[in-house]
Amino acid sequence: MIGKICGTGSYAPSNYWDNNDLAKMVDTSDEWIRERTGVVRRHISVDDTTVSMAVKASRAALENAGVKPEELDLIIVSTITSNKIIPCAACEVQKELGAVNATCFDMSAACSGFLFGYNAAQAYISSGMYQTVLLVGSEMLSQIVNWQDRSSCILFGDGAGAAVFRPAEGVLPPCVTYSDGAKGQVLSCESRHQKGWEEKVKEGSTVVYMDGREVFKFAVKQEPAAIRKLMELTGEKLEDIDWFILHQANLRIIESVAKRLKVDMAKFPTNIHEYGNTSSASIAILLDEMNRKGMLKEGQKIVLSGFGAGLSWGASLLTW
Ligand code: UT7
């Protein structure tokens, strides 16, 4: 058995900040942000929470799939910006949806979260442990971004994306995943729920710290290598892949991956201009947009690939 995505959904708050709004907050410009990142605007929550966005994306995905909430037997929410420590966001989503038969837990793998969640959903379905799975990536990054740091705040935004899986005949292809905790310091944010948190807040370590150059170098090297490894393990050829749906971190990173793989950029859809980097929601939002535009055809081969804090990264093969 394999998990087949039978519905997708996404949600972003209607409120947005464009680059000129950010230029009023830090020493930057619309031109710099567009050229260096590809971001034009990002959606920022006013009333939404990580859970409310996850619920809206999930409702859209369930409707798209024609699946009733009570049919779900597993809900995984990938997030690094959970509303509460307990209960987990997935249980709160379950409550709102009325998905009374689902087992629920959260996953924390930052920008690799949707990719790792995709692999987890596939593993559970192919083992026969769960059948109908809801996977959600939801992030309210505006709550943890350092809005005084121009070298990081220009990238991030809020949003959620979801996918519903059902079992189908097939064999689970190999996937490629990596973690390197020894390099974790280049992208970090400490919890406010720890001893001495007042000091951490004062020193500014409870908001996102990012060594952008190091993350950039890591991403442009490791993401194409992971995709090549995936091709080797699955026996697929790059030219036979219909779409490369990458984590939307920086347009220049996506362009660099396409160039290194020698694949036409037309196969790398992007929406970073609209949302910025929404961490574990970014792949899911893009997948949903493509699905709703009718860009995804039955049998198409899609590579999902992401990277982020941890460090963590990888690539998976999805047949639509
Ligand atoms: O999901 C994973 C999350 N993170 C990432 O994927 C981040 C990956 N890294 C990046 O996207 C890029 O490194 C950034 C967009 C963060 C930065 O772009 P860059 O081209 O690597 O810029 P840089 O850090 O090398 O800085 C170049 C210059 C510096 O000035 P000097 O030293 O050359 O005078 C910076 O001070 O640009 C300056 N700078 C800015 N100027 C205007 C840095 N941020 C800004 C800014 N506006 N917002």
Side-chain angles (χ1 to χ4, degrees), residues 179-186 310-311:
S179 299
D180 184 359
K183 299 211 176 79
Q185 77 286 352
V186 298
L311 295 172

Side-chain angles (χ1 to χ4, degrees), residues 26-29 32-33 36-37 111 150-152 154-156 187 210-216 219 247-250 252-253 277 279 307-309:
V26 288
D27 181 13
T28 190
S29 66
W32 193 96
I33 301 172
R36 300 288 182 122
T37 71
C111 304
R150 69 174 184 171
S151 67
S152 62
I154 40 101
L155 280 179
F156 299 104
L187 187 45
M210 184 177 76
D211 183 337
R213 282 183 204 184
E214 282 306 311
V215 178
F216 194 98
H247 167 48
Q248 305 287 295
N250 182 323
R252 286 192 296 137
I253 293 177
N277 177 343
S279 191
F307 67 89

